[in-house]
Amino acid sequence: MLYEGLSLAALVLTAGAIGYRIVVAVRIAVVLRAEVTVREDLSAEELAYLAGGPRRTVATVLYRMVGQGRLAVAEDGTVTVPDGAYAAGVEQALIEAAGISRSERAGKLVAQAAASRAVRSVGDRLRAEGLLVHPALRRGQYRARRLLWWSAALAPVPAVGELTAGTTDRWWSGVVLSAGAAVTATLVRPARDQVPYRVRSTLGVLRGERERPAPWRRADALAALAVTPVGAVALDGLSAAREPEFGELVTPETWRAGDPAFGGTAATGFGVFGDWGSSGYAGACGGGDGGGCGSAGE
């Protein structure tokens, strides 16, 4: 009787884990295939968030403020805020991240500002428009996958107990359940895309606009933004900046490999960058659903 109860519990656990994983996968697939419309009046911050996440947004604002003479960048990657500088939104978050000393290493500055309420509000607006996969949904797929592996490990326990006790009538049930959970966990892999396919396509088109002769470019505000220096950084990170000071800034000592603020990594979700994240958003500084942020040695 005991083993029958354990077998039933293993069946319920495994079936629930498989069902949960499939439901989450379907929900993400629906979001990714949604026929969303990207507004033509996206700001540089919003474009950067879609293309590279919170850190890309901050890096874009940093680049713009340096270009306007409102911030200064030293060769060692230290960003200095001039006295009297005032701003709002993400710009203010950057200034506040510099602290009382009014200076900070660029990597740490970007990491701190990316966790601010101002940057989170940018992502919230985009999620409200259906342009981003909600982080809770992305986390759910990894949670469901872990549950499947736990089910695969625990399902054979009743069968082992029966074999030990000498009752082998249902020894195969644990093997079948374990195999079902393991196969589901292996085949239904987590989706790494964080924006719908329509958004990815739009970002690709915007990158292509920079290669077109001016008379052949799209005549809309979003395309006009994409071909500007700020738009280039928003789409591809600081690696797209042509100014010498940013060429010095983008070094392994300042940015970790795969950092979305830097750009120039493999396409895995938001166009060209590794998984991004801060303040609870999926990914961080080089991929996956976690990890550290900031510059090397900090």
Side-chain angles (χ1 to χ4, degrees), residues 21-287:
R21 181 67 189 94
I22 292 175
V23 168
V24 172
V26 170
R27 289 182 61 190
I28 290 182
V30 169
V31 173
L32 292 177
R33 289 172 172 77
E35 293 296 320
V36 296
T37 301
V38 180
R39 289 184 285 108
E40 291 187 3
D41 62 345
L42 284 180
S43 65
E45 290 90 338
E46 291 171 327
L47 180 61
Y49 204 110
L50 290 177
R55 293 168 66 84
R56 178 75 60 79
T57 297
V58 178
T60 300
V61 172
L62 170 65
Y63 173 81
R64 184 177 63 198
M65 294 181 72
V66 171
Q68 294 171 345
R70 298 161 61 198
L71 294 178
V73 179
E75 292 184 359
D76 64 353
T78 300
V79 179
T80 302
V81 181
D83 292 335
Y86 176 78
V90 180
E91 294 182 348
Q92 182 62 26
L94 257 177
I95 293 175
E96 292 176 353
I100 299 177
S101 66
R102 310 285 285 183
S103 65
E104 185 57 85
R105 290 291 300 275
K108 188 174 182 179
L109 187 72
V110 169
Q112 291 179 346
S116 67
R117 182 185 300 273
V119 175
R120 288 198 300 270
S121 67
V122 175
D124 291 341
R125 289 197 302 270
L126 296 171
R127 267 184 291 276
E129 298 177 23
L131 302 181
L132 288 174
V133 178
H134 199 282
L137 190 57
R138 282 183 47 79
R139 289 193 297 267
Q141 65 182 348
Y142 291 97
R143 185 162 50 245
R145 195 183 193 195
R146 288 194 297 270
L147 183 59
L148 281 171
W149 286 119
W150 274 109
S151 300
L154 295 175
V157 171
V160 172
E162 289 195 26
L163 290 173
T164 303
T167 56
T168 60
D169 294 340
R170 289 176 301 276
W171 67 269
W172 49 268
S173 62
V175 177
V176 171
L177 292 176
S178 180
V183 168
T184 304
T186 301
L187 296 182
V188 186
R189 302 183 64 83
R192 300 191 66 188
D193 297 296
Q194 302 184 51
V195 296
Y197 301 141
R198 179 63 64 87
V199 176
R200 290 183 61 191
S201 176
T202 299
L203 294 175
V205 170
L206 291 175
R207 291 187 177 96
E209 289 297 309
R210 300 205 302 270
E211 308 300 325
R212 293 174 178 269
W216 296 352
R217 290 172 181 164
R218 290 168 41 184
D220 60 66
L222 196 54
L225 171 62
V227 299
T228 64
V230 171
V233 171
L235 286 169
D236 294 325
L238 286 174
S239 60
R242 297 180 179 180
E243 289 79 0
E245 60 265 37
F246 287 100
E248 296 292 334
L249 179 64
V250 180
T251 65
E253 290 73 27
T254 306
W255 306 104
R256 291 186 177 182
D259 193 316
F262 173 88
T265 59
T268 57
F270 292 83
V272 183
F273 74 104
D275 282 349
W276 49 256
S278 73
S279 61
Y281 295 109
C285 303

